[in-house]
Amino acid sequence: GSLTAGATYTFQLTATAGGPGGESSFAQVTLTMNEAPSSGFLEVEPAAGHTPGTSFTFSAVSWVDDDLPLLFRFGTLPVNPADGSLDTSRLSPFGGEQSDATDSGVILSQGANATNYTVGCFTEAIDSFGAASSATSTVRVLPEELSVAELRNVSEAKAAEAISSQDADAAKQVLAMTTDLIATTTDAAAAATGSQAGGGGRRSLLASGDNAALRASVLLNLWATYAITPVTQAD
């Protein structure tokens, strides 16, 4: 079985000498089980925005625990298109644990059209013994209408900023945003090309100079991000 968090237990060990009637003695120890952080919530600002133009701020607010210091982790999780519920079994952290209760300058990938562009967000609060609690929230993240060339320029600028500051988590956010927007941007451009050229728009676009440059840029940023990503024992 398992012990209940926050409960106090007394364990007793009794030793008896010889057979029946022998002298006995005992020792006791009382333990209070650790409780995970409580009473906190996640605040994400602004409540809605566009990618890649909007920077979001995640804040873990009002978490309480006796076993300090607390560490925090932030990230996203899937939204169920059927009912809008959040799948807390599939957390995607931005990075590792951090002492700062705020993560600012976050670039989120666009939400799915099927969920009205809703993106699930989470925070975990972790005490000094490793006990953790989580809280969730949602924001709406819509895609900006960008040409392939504009997407490449924005992606390169944001990736360069993250990489120059050795912020691997931010660089990964830029990569995720860019790869998500590639499909949206190229589909829109392909539709326009197809309507102007009488069909075959996406095939023509895939061979275009702008699209090739965008994909090459993503690969370069991927390697640069890998180069600044800390290697852990698990890796």
Side-chain angles (χ1 to χ4, degrees):
S2 59
L3 303 180
T4 301
T8 299
Y9 297 88
T10 298
F11 298 89
Q12 177 174 304
L13 174 65
T14 301
T16 301
E23 294 185 357
S24 64
S25 61
F26 68 90
Q28 289 183 335
V29 60
T30 299
L31 302 175
T32 299
M33 302 306 298
N34 184 35
E35 287 186 281
S38 61
S39 304
F41 61 94
L42 170 65
E43 183 177 81
V44 185
E45 294 181 329
H50 293 77
T51 191
T54 303
S55 293
F56 293 86
T57 298
F58 285 53
S59 299
V61 182
S62 298
W63 289 95
V64 176
D65 194 276
D66 291 333
D67 303 309
L68 303 176
L70 295 181
L71 296 176
F72 302 92
R73 183 160 41 214
F74 300 95
T76 60
L77 69 167
V79 180
N80 186 339
D83 59 8
S85 61
L86 301 180
D87 186 354
T88 55
S89 67
R90 297 168 57 196
L91 304 180
S92 298
F94 298 141
E97 300 166 1
Q98 61 182 63
S99 58
D100 195 337
T102 297
D103 193 358
S104 58
V106 175
I107 299 173
L108 294 175
S109 297
Q110 69 184 66
N113 186 41
T115 63
N116 195 27
Y117 299 102
T118 301
V119 173
C121 309
F122 79 89
T123 186
E124 284 184 314
I126 307 155
D127 72 13
S128 60
F129 290 106
S133 295
S134 62
T136 61
S137 185
T138 60
V139 294
R140 292 187 70 223
V141 186
L142 289 79
E144 291 185 3
E145 293 185 6
L146 299 173
S147 68
V148 176
E150 288 171 335
L151 175 57
R152 186 192 73 200
N153 291 337
V154 171
S155 175
E156 287 181 348
K158 289 186 177 292
E161 180 181 356
I163 291 167
S164 65
S165 62
Q166 300 289 299
D167 190 341
D169 294 340
K172 292 173 187 176
Q173 293 167 20
V174 174
L175 284 169
M177 172 275 296
T178 304
T179 53
D180 283 348
L181 280 178
I182 283 177
T184 301
T185 303
T186 54
D187 283 344
T193 303
S195 64
Q196 294 169 5
R202 186 174 180 85
R203 182 176 299 174
S204 300
L205 181 70
L206 289 174
S208 72
D210 282 343
N211 189 70
L214 172 59
R215 293 176 183 275
S217 173
V218 170
L219 287 175
L220 287 173
N221 289 336
L222 176 62
W223 282 112
T225 300
Y226 176 79
I228 64 172
T229 299
V231 177
T232 64
Q233 187 173 0
D235 298 328

